[in-house]
Amino acid sequence: MSDTRSGFVTFVGRPNVGKSTLTNALVGEKVAITSDKPQTTRRAIRGIVNRPGGQLVVVDTPGIHRPRTLLGQRLNDLVEQVLGDVDVIAFCAPATEKVGPGDRRIAESLSGYPRAKKVALVTKTDAATRDQIAERLVEVDSLREDWAAVIPLSAVTNDQLDVLSDELLALMPEGPALYDADITTDETLEDRIAEIIREAALHGVRDELPHSIAVTIDDVAPREGSDLTDVWANIIVERDSQKAIIIGRKGSRLADVGARARAGIEPLVGTRVYLSLHVRVAKEWQRDAKQLGRLGF
Ligand SMILES: Nc1nc2c(ncn2[C@@H]2O[C@H](COP(=O)(O)OP(=O)(O)O)[C@@H](O)[C@H]2O)c(=O)[nH]1
Ligand SMILES: [Mg+2]
């Protein structure tokens, strides 16, 4: 018999409702990149939350989309798999927007995962009025009969996150911790660096470009005889015109991306970083099985 609980939880909800931000806030460290662009999350990222009563593994996913490319289909398959496996699914809707058809559809779709317990979260309470929060709680509560809990919270001000962790842990099966207590994610260092660079590259780009950006790492190596880590990475886009946008006038945009990325990578590796970024074109990689395989999808 075990006196601790442990298990897996994932957040679902429309894009931009704050799922990745909440993952990071619970873990207490940035394990999932965030942005206001669609499809920012492209992997199932596991963040680990240690509590006195046990361990939560938070799986942040891209969410179900209408697939427009092979990448989109693969991401949907990944999300289906996660939803079928987790112990708890937490539905998220922001306090700042009325519940709409998209929310309703997602909440209904949770019936397809009978194994998981379901909770509802009203996110972004810091940006909403008391009346909005109250209205949203009522709307969200009525979306399903079987919510184990309905919790308002803010991942930005950390409001009610302890309540959420305790509630989630209480819904988990009894069992020992699944990961060592001193790790926050099972992502590799290279994967985390690639994601930080992608987040930097997403900054300030619009339209289709966010979807077209991928990042690969050639090498991460401490430079001999110095307190410096060399990182060689590639930003992959789908067209020459996109390459020109990423690089910018006289390389100015790429320099900004590099500076922004370096600031995120340095605390992760614990040294100063020399970042070598190359922009490459992989034609239509989102639709090409071979290229997707190469990029790890
Ligand atoms: N004010 C406020 N903004 C938030 C909160 N959580 C997320 N956001 C913002 O909402 C946007 C989308 O967040 P993200 O976590 O990437 O959403 P996801 O697509 O559901 O993973 C970002 O610009 C976040 O900074 C919150 O608790 N309060
Ligand atoms: Mg996300």
Side-chain angles (χ1 to χ4, degrees):
M1 226 188 74
S2 171
D3 53 2
T4 60
R5 294 179 180 275
S6 61
F8 292 82
V9 56
T10 195
F11 302 118
V12 296
R14 289 180 291 111
N16 275 324
V17 297
K19 302 179 293 292
S20 296
T21 307
L22 183 55
T23 300
N24 291 335
L26 285 174
V27 172
E29 188 180 308
K30 182 161 173 159
V31 293
I33 64 168
T34 61
S35 87
D36 54 4
K37 312 294 184 313
Q39 231 196 65
T40 299
T41 308
R42 277 201 193 134
R43 316 159 54 87
I45 294 183
R46 292 173 174 191
I48 295 144
V49 184
N50 293 296
R51 303 283 294 175
Q55 188 177 68
L56 299 171
V57 183
V58 184
V59 190
D60 188 32
T61 76
I64 301 274
H65 300 81
R66 191 168 306 141
R68 290 182 302 172
T69 62
L70 186 58
L71 173 64
Q73 274 170 37
R74 297 224 170 139
L75 296 181
N76 278 356
D77 292 347
L78 174 75
V79 179
E80 287 287 343
Q81 196 187 329
V82 170
L83 289 170
D85 283 349
V86 292
D87 302 287
V88 180
I89 300 174
F91 168 84
C92 303
T96 47
E97 294 164 41
K98 281 197 84 60
V99 164
D103 301 299
R104 231 163 262 127
R105 191 174 39 76
I106 292 170
E108 275 165 23
S109 74
L110 300 187
S111 299
Y113 311 98
R115 198 186 95 78
K117 295 173 180 161
K118 283 107 187 155
V119 304
L121 309 179
V122 169
T123 60
K124 306 193 186 184
T125 53
D126 63 285
T129 64
R130 292 175 75 104
D131 285 351
Q132 283 178 309
I133 296 168
E135 186 181 284
R136 218 63 66 229
L137 284 168
V138 171
E139 287 177 358
V140 164
D141 186 60
S142 69
L143 287 175
R144 293 186 66 87
E145 306 265 294
D146 60 353
W147 298 128
V150 180
I151 304 170
L153 56 82
S154 165
V156 164
T157 58
N158 284 343
D159 199 29
Q160 294 257 95
L161 296 193
D162 284 346
V163 171
L164 173 62
S165 292
D166 288 344
E167 192 71 52
L168 291 175
L169 204 56
L171 294 171
M172 294 296 168
E174 291 189 347
L178 301 160
Y179 290 90
D180 283 349
D182 58 351
I183 67 165
T184 54
T185 179
D186 63 351
E187 290 281 287
T188 66
L189 180 64
E190 288 202 357
D191 286 339
R192 293 183 77 180
I193 290 174
E195 286 285 272
I196 289 170
I197 296 170
R198 192 162 62 84
E199 183 180 54
L202 285 174
H203 195 84
V205 299
R206 292 176 294 131
D207 306 325
E208 284 303 294
L209 190 44
H211 294 273
S212 294
I213 297 174
V215 173
T216 62
I217 305 288
D218 288 334
D219 200 13
V220 177
R223 189 182 295 182
E224 220 165 300
S226 80
D227 171 35
L228 201 62
T229 303
D230 285 306
V231 175
W232 284 274
N234 307 294
I235 297 178
I236 317 278
V237 291
E238 298 196 284
R239 290 186 284 283
D240 289 324
S241 58
Q242 296 176 330
K243 179 172 172 174
I245 294 171
I246 292 284
I247 292 174
R249 279 190 80 149
K250 297 188 177 151
S252 61
R253 227 192 136 264
L254 189 60
D256 286 348
V257 170
R260 193 178 284 271
R262 226 172 33 239
I265 299 168
E266 285 181 344
L268 204 57
V269 298
T271 72
R272 285 186 304 127
V273 163
Y274 171 77
L275 176 59
S276 168
L277 280 180
H278 285 268
V279 184
R280 300 184 197 283
V281 175
K283 290 237 168 353
E284 302 284 333
W285 66 261
Q286 292 183 81
R287 299 167 196 278
D288 181 336
K290 205 147 117 202
Q291 308 246 45
L292 284 174
R294 232 179 261 146
L295 292 169
F297 293 106

